[in-house]
Amino acid sequence: MKKVEAVIKPFKLEEVKKALSDIGIYGMTITEVKGFGRQKGHKEQYRGAEYTIEFVPKIKVEIALSDEDEEKVVATIMAAAKTGSIGDGKIFITSLSDAVRIRTGESGEAAL
């Protein structure tokens, strides 16, 4: 089993969610997060004063899935979240040793 964490631009969430549901992925966790990468934030102007926003708002999408779905999910997220500009985000993939469904006690891939 794998866990895919994608940090994307907020306005791309609906597009990513639809693309994932089109390939049969329905379970996901969404978190509003803030951070920065190489761009180290950006500058904005408000009432004539310029200020730096160091932590840029993003959305983190977390999906637990079977090993065979990994490549398809990563490719789908990349296609749906890409704008071609700085700050499109990152995808992190980690191995899951186990998962347990609280309601039924099922474990492993059956819990997904």
Side-chain angles (χ1 to χ4, degrees):
M1 293 182 302
K2 302 285 185 183
K3 179 178 180 183
V4 174
E5 295 179 65
V7 179
I8 62 172
K9 292 183 175 186
F11 67 89
K12 286 297 208 169
L13 175 59
E14 286 303 316
E15 197 172 327
V16 168
K17 189 173 86 172
K18 180 176 181 342
L20 288 169
S21 67
D22 288 348
I23 63 166
I25 303 296
Y26 299 103
M28 62 188 76
T29 301
I30 308 298
T31 312
E32 292 181 13
V33 296
K34 292 182 179 193
F36 66 89
R38 289 185 188 152
Q39 69 196 46
K40 297 183 179 74
H42 64 276
K43 295 187 186 312
E44 287 190 4
Q45 280 196 323
Y46 180 71
R47 295 189 177 181
E50 188 175 274
Y51 62 99
T52 302
I53 297 179
E54 290 182 1
F55 294 101
V56 180
K58 300 285 185 176
I59 297 290
K60 181 164 74 168
V61 180
E62 297 176 85
I63 307 164
L65 45 91
S66 61
D67 289 334
E68 58 266 8
D69 290 337
E70 176 191 344
E71 288 182 29
K72 179 173 58 172
V73 166
V74 169
T76 300
I77 293 170
M78 285 178 59
K82 184 176 183 175
T83 66
S85 62
I86 293 174
D88 273 352
K90 297 261 190 317
I91 299 174
F92 304 100
I93 303 151
T94 54
S95 294
L96 286 179
S97 61
D98 202 3
V100 178
R101 185 183 311 262
I102 294 172
R103 179 177 54 88
T104 63
E106 294 171 294
S107 64
E109 288 193 20
L112 300 179

